Amino acid sequence: MTGRLVRLAEASRPKVSFTFDGAVLTGLEGDTVLTAILAERGALRQAEFGPEQRSGFCLMGACQDCWIWQEDGVRLRACSTALQAGMRLRSAATDAWPATGDAP
């Protein structure tokens, strides 16, 4: 699958594996979740109110465009959350949402 972002530099950083919607993806150490996903995918998630695909807008945590969920139901902003090995992420809310610990 072709990603929306293309790495032009710093491609030698250590790889970090995580899952997104059940698929194993690989980002690089120091990536945000948004960068890691968009380096491998064309979009982050489906829009709530239409057929459009969303992939982040402000890229600094001020809008609502990059909200995704951890498998335990906790929501996070993909643009300002550091990627960690073993993260289990989803593009849509789980039955457990809203969970305690949800980011503001």
Side-chain angles (χ1 to χ4, degrees):
M1 201 175 288
T2 304
R4 178 171 295 274
L5 301 179
V6 177
R7 291 188 190 276
L8 299 177
E10 298 185 11
S12 62
R13 289 182 280 139
K15 292 184 178 181
V16 177
S17 293
F18 65 103
T19 61
F20 184 62
D21 287 341
V24 177
L25 301 180
T26 304
L28 298 181
E29 189 175 276
D31 280 353
T32 64
V33 169
L34 182 65
T35 299
I37 292 171
L38 293 182
E40 295 202 24
R41 298 274 175 103
L44 182 65
R45 64 180 179 84
Q46 183 73 33
E48 294 93 340
F49 306 107
E52 298 84 11
Q53 295 287 307
R54 309 305 296 176
S55 56
F57 179 72
C58 74
L59 306 180
M60 62 181 199
C63 73
Q64 303 296 311
D65 214 42
C66 71
W67 284 116
I68 60 172
W69 291 261
Q70 296 179 72
E71 284 190 351
D72 63 4
V74 175
R75 189 170 65 156
L76 60 86
R77 289 183 191 267
C79 75
S80 59
T81 301
L83 181 65
Q84 296 176 16
M87 288 180 111
R88 301 184 62 77
L89 306 169
R90 298 172 47 108
S91 61
T94 67
D95 291 340
W97 191 77
T100 14
D102 198 26

